[in-house]
Amino acid sequence: YPFHSITDAFVCGGNNTIKLAAGDYHEDVHIQGFSVVIEGEEGVVLHGTGNGPVVTVFGHEAAGTQLIGLELTGGNGIGGGVFVSDSSSAVLTDCVITGNSGDLGGGVACRNSSSAELVNCVVTGNTAANGAGGLHLEGGSGSVSGSLISGNTGRRGGAIFARNGATVEVLESSLLDNQADDGGAIALEGGGLVLNLSKVVGNTATQ
């Protein structure tokens, strides 16, 4: 049955599928110690408190967490919308990540051997002080398929920044109108990139 608080739903235990009723949720979600599928009905918006990422996925036990059909906004942390860390992984499907700010990644940030996969997502209007406006990878891996990353602003990579051996694959996606000091669309520092059947247009590097 649909829950009306994500925190309340976690009380029922990990390794579950949590279905959210349409509406606005004002909370920061921290997933640790178990993996979970959080699936929203049409019209689900998760508003962060501004005191951290909207969703944090932490540790190897949370690996495989899935976020489906959610809009994530109002986050402010290492990663503004989603932060994945410490050998964890997350798959985001049909999500909108917008209006977040972060230190490393405005939209999504991964570090410490973690990974994120974006499928049919929109990442737009996010900002990062020191990393990528859209997707920031510190080691680990990332993939973007069937997605739009547009109108984000960062310091290194307006759309994507991969460093410290991180690898990222972009497939059938669009990176449009992003801006950064270095790498208007994509910046690499000891990272690897595979770009297939994608559009990279209108991005600006100011340095």
Side-chain angles (χ1 to χ4, degrees), residues 20 31-32 36 38 53 79 116 136 159 200:
L20 301 176
I31 303 166
Q32 183 175 2
V36 66
I38 302 176
H136 183 103
V200 182

Side-chain angles (χ1 to χ4, degrees), residues 28-83:
D28 296 330
V29 179
H30 192 95
I31 303 166
Q32 183 175 2
F34 56 89
S35 64
V36 66
V37 177
I38 302 176
E39 183 174 358
E41 296 179 350
E42 184 176 355
V44 169
V45 182
L46 273 59
H47 299 265
T49 65
N51 296 315
V54 182
V55 177
T56 298
V57 182
F58 188 89
H60 71 276
E61 292 176 326
T65 286
Q66 298 183 52
L67 308 176
I68 304 170
L70 310 175
E71 180 176 334
L72 310 177
T73 190
N76 184 4
I78 296 174
V82 180
F83 177 48

Side-chain angles (χ1 to χ4, degrees), residues 164-181:
N164 296 344
T167 60
V168 59
E169 180 176 4
V170 180
L171 174 64
E172 295 182 342
S173 295
S174 296
L175 312 181
L176 308 178
D177 301 321
N178 301 283
Q179 180 176 323
D181 293 344

Side-chain angles (χ1 to χ4, degrees), residues 156 161-166 182 187-192:
R156 302 289 305 277
F161 181 37
R163 65 181 300 187
N164 296 344
D182 178 19
L188 302 174
E189 184 180 296

Side-chain angles (χ1 to χ4, degrees), residues 45-136:
V45 182
L46 273 59
H47 299 265
T49 65
N51 296 315
V54 182
V55 177
T56 298
V57 182
F58 188 89
H60 71 276
E61 292 176 326
T65 286
Q66 298 183 52
L67 308 176
I68 304 170
L70 310 175
E71 180 176 334
L72 310 177
T73 190
N76 184 4
I78 296 174
V82 180
F83 177 48
V84 188
S85 187
D86 287 54
S87 302
S88 201
S89 65
V91 179
L92 285 67
T93 304
D94 298 326
C95 289
V96 176
I97 304 169
T98 186
N100 302 284
S101 58
D103 179 33
L104 295 183
V108 179
C110 297
R111 71 176 186 185
N112 298 338
S113 302
S114 295
S115 66
E117 181 178 352
L118 278 59
V119 182
N120 298 330
C121 290
V122 175
V123 182
T124 187
N126 304 285
T127 61
N130 293 302
L135 172 63
H136 183 103

